[in-house]
Amino acid sequence: MANIKSAKKRVRVGERNRKMNRFYKSNIKTLVKKYRLSIKTFETTRDVETYETLQTLISKIYSKIDKAAKKKVFHLRKAARQKSRISNVLKKVGKP
Protein backbone atom coordinates (compact mmCIF):
# COMPACT_ATOMS: atom_id res chain seq x y z
CA MET A 1 0.00 0.00 0.00
CA ALA A 2 1.21 3.49 -0.84
CA ASN A 3 2.35 5.80 1.95
CA ILE A 4 2.79 9.07 0.08
CA LYS A 5 -0.31 11.20 -0.51
CA SER A 6 0.24 11.53 -4.26
CA ALA A 7 0.79 7.78 -4.58
CA LYS A 8 -2.50 7.13 -2.78
CA LYS A 9 -4.25 9.48 -5.18
CA ARG A 10 -2.69 7.73 -8.19
CA VAL A 11 -4.06 4.43 -6.87
CA ARG A 12 -7.55 5.95 -6.65
CA VAL A 13 -7.31 7.53 -10.09
CA GLY A 14 -5.96 4.34 -11.62
CA GLU A 15 -8.83 2.33 -10.17
CA ARG A 16 -11.37 4.83 -11.51
CA ASN A 17 -9.80 4.75 -14.96
CA ARG A 18 -9.71 0.95 -14.95
CA LYS A 19 -13.44 0.81 -14.28
CA MET A 20 -14.22 3.27 -17.06
CA ASN A 21 -11.95 1.44 -19.51
CA ARG A 22 -13.69 -1.86 -18.73
CA PHE A 23 -17.07 -0.17 -19.22
CA TYR A 24 -16.14 1.13 -22.69
CA LYS A 25 -14.49 -2.12 -23.79
CA SER A 26 -17.33 -4.35 -22.62
CA ASN A 27 -19.93 -2.16 -24.34
CA ILE A 28 -18.03 -2.37 -27.61
CA LYS A 29 -17.58 -6.14 -27.30
CA THR A 30 -21.31 -6.58 -26.65
CA LEU A 31 -22.25 -4.49 -29.69
CA VAL A 32 -19.79 -6.39 -31.90
CA LYS A 33 -21.28 -9.71 -30.77
CA LYS A 34 -24.77 -8.47 -31.66
CA TYR A 35 -23.42 -7.29 -35.01
CA ARG A 36 -21.91 -10.70 -35.79
CA LEU A 37 -25.18 -12.44 -34.91
CA SER A 38 -27.06 -10.02 -37.15
CA ILE A 39 -24.61 -10.76 -39.97
CA LYS A 40 -25.35 -14.47 -39.66
CA THR A 41 -29.11 -13.90 -39.73
CA PHE A 42 -28.72 -11.57 -42.69
CA GLU A 43 -26.76 -14.21 -44.61
CA THR A 44 -29.65 -16.64 -44.22
CA THR A 45 -32.61 -14.28 -44.70
CA ARG A 46 -31.21 -11.53 -46.97
CA ASP A 47 -34.07 -9.16 -46.09
CA VAL A 48 -34.02 -5.36 -45.94
CA GLU A 49 -34.99 -5.09 -42.27
CA THR A 50 -31.97 -7.04 -41.10
CA TYR A 51 -29.73 -4.93 -43.33
CA GLU A 52 -31.11 -1.75 -41.75
CA THR A 53 -30.46 -3.26 -38.32
CA LEU A 54 -26.88 -3.87 -39.40
CA GLN A 55 -26.52 -0.26 -40.49
CA THR A 56 -27.78 1.06 -37.14
CA LEU A 57 -25.49 -1.33 -35.27
CA ILE A 58 -22.52 -0.16 -37.31
CA SER A 59 -23.22 3.47 -36.49
CA LYS A 60 -23.54 2.65 -32.77
CA ILE A 61 -20.29 0.67 -32.83
CA TYR A 62 -18.46 3.43 -34.66
CA SER A 63 -19.72 5.97 -32.15
CA LYS A 64 -18.62 3.89 -29.16
CA ILE A 65 -15.21 3.17 -30.69
CA ASP A 66 -14.64 6.84 -31.48
CA LYS A 67 -15.60 7.87 -27.95
CA ALA A 68 -13.28 5.24 -26.49
CA ALA A 69 -10.43 6.46 -28.70
CA LYS A 70 -11.14 10.04 -27.68
CA LYS A 71 -10.94 9.06 -23.99
CA LYS A 72 -7.67 7.19 -24.72
CA VAL A 73 -9.15 3.79 -23.92
CA PHE A 74 -7.97 2.64 -27.37
CA HIS A 75 -5.13 3.92 -29.47
CA LEU A 76 -6.37 5.81 -32.53
CA ARG A 77 -4.94 3.23 -34.91
CA LYS A 78 -6.55 0.36 -33.03
CA ALA A 79 -9.89 2.17 -33.25
CA ALA A 80 -9.44 2.65 -36.99
CA ARG A 81 -8.47 -1.00 -37.42
CA GLN A 82 -11.54 -2.21 -35.53
CA LYS A 83 -13.86 0.00 -37.59
CA SER A 84 -12.23 -1.20 -40.79
CA ARG A 85 -12.67 -4.86 -39.88
CA ILE A 86 -16.32 -4.30 -38.99
CA SER A 87 -17.05 -2.61 -42.31
CA ASN A 88 -15.17 -5.28 -44.28
CA VAL A 89 -17.45 -7.97 -42.86
CA LEU A 90 -20.50 -6.17 -44.22
CA LYS A 91 -18.81 -5.60 -47.60
CA LYS A 92 -18.13 -9.33 -47.96
CA VAL A 93 -21.76 -10.18 -47.24
CA GLY A 94 -23.12 -7.60 -49.69
CA LYS A 95 -26.40 -5.75 -49.96
CA PRO A 96 -29.87 -7.39 -49.95
Side-chain angles (χ1 to χ4, degrees), residues 19-79:
K19 288 179 182 176
M20 285 304 295
N21 290 347
R22 286 186 65 189
F23 172 75
Y24 278 107
K25 288 179 181 182
S26 67
N27 278 342
I28 291 170
K29 285 180 184 178
T30 304
L31 285 173
V32 170
K33 286 178 187 176
K34 287 182 183 178
Y35 176 72
R36 293 206 170 128
L37 285 173
S38 296
I39 286 284
K40 287 184 180 180
T41 58
F42 177 71
E43 285 178 335
T44 58
T45 60
R46 302 296 269 184
D47 62 340
V48 178
E49 291 178 19
T50 313
Y51 189 76
E52 290 172 358
T53 306
L54 287 172
Q55 292 295 332
T56 57
L57 274 173
I58 282 181
S59 65
K60 285 181 185 177
I61 293 170
Y62 279 10
S63 174
K64 294 285 185 183
I65 289 174
D66 287 337
K67 285 180 185 176
K70 183 179 177 184
K71 301 255 185 197
K72 306 265 195 279
V73 175
F74 294 134
H75 193 275
L76 291 174
R77 290 190 187 124
K78 179 177 180 172

Side-chain angles (χ1 to χ4, degrees), residues 6-21:
S6 62
K8 289 178 183 177
K9 182 179 179 182
R10 291 305 307 162
V11 169
R12 289 194 311 267
V13 170
E15 182 64 22
R16 182 190 67 212
N17 290 343
R18 184 184 70 83
K19 288 179 182 176
M20 285 304 295
N21 290 347

Side-chain angles (χ1 to χ4, degrees), residues 78-92:
K78 179 177 180 172
R81 185 173 59 245
Q82 285 182 331
K83 291 181 352 183
S84 173
R85 288 177 179 167
I86 288 168
S87 66
N88 283 339
V89 171
L90 188 61
K91 281 183 186 175
K92 285 182 183 177

